[in-house]
Amino acid sequence: MIEASTFLRRALLADALFSGVAALGFTFGAGAFASLFNLPEALLRETGLFLIAYSALVGWLAARASVSKALVLLVVIGNAAWTAGSIALLLSGAVSPNLAGELMVVAQAIATGVFAELQYMGLRRSASAVAA
């Protein structure tokens, strides 16, 4: 366990809020977003459902004074993988989004990559271990 720096807690909170808004939008508005972005409705709804659990976990981490370094590192790696996976999805040809869909996928990939970087920086600022 480490004592979470204010920077780390804020980076986690921002990620939880961003992911929570996306979770609600994609879960309950999947049909509308599917039409708007020309992306599969099931993909958007399942992404939204995953993000509900993810945002709850990251929000929980953000609210804690001490956190598991391994768990935060898992969030950082997950965000980096999400960024790479989003770009890979576009390049794979598995989906055929319109321009708005491509822009949305790229924008959220960039935002997720920024969260990964900010959380990693926050993790490095949280180096002091908490006595168990």
Side-chain angles (χ1 to χ4, degrees):
M1 299 290 282
I2 59 169
E3 185 176 329
S5 68
T6 301
F7 188 90
L8 175 59
R9 292 177 70 194
R10 287 181 180 161
L12 290 167
L13 180 59
D15 187 3
L17 292 172
F18 180 84
S19 297
V21 169
L24 294 174
F26 288 156
T27 300
F28 299 109
F33 283 121
S35 296
L36 179 64
F37 298 132
N38 197 39
L39 288 167
E41 184 174 343
L43 173 67
L44 295 173
R45 182 167 288 111
E46 291 167 12
T47 298
L49 291 171
F50 168 79
L51 287 174
I52 290 171
Y54 174 80
S55 61
L57 169 67
V58 177
W60 177 78
L61 285 171
R64 307 206 28 98
S66 61
V67 295
S68 163
K69 184 176 182 177
L71 191 52
V72 173
L73 192 55
L74 182 64
V75 169
V76 171
I77 292 167
N79 277 337
W82 185 283
T83 298
S86 296
I87 301 306
L89 177 67
L90 289 179
L91 297 175
S92 73
V95 295
S96 300
N98 57 24
L99 180 60
E102 289 177 358
L103 292 174
M104 185 275 299
V105 172
V106 169
Q108 64 81 34
I110 291 169
T112 305
V114 168
F115 286 135
E117 178 63 25
L118 292 173
Q119 290 159 353
Y120 183 71
M121 289 170 52
L123 191 57
R124 291 179 52 103
R125 293 181 183 186
S126 303
S128 62
V130 174

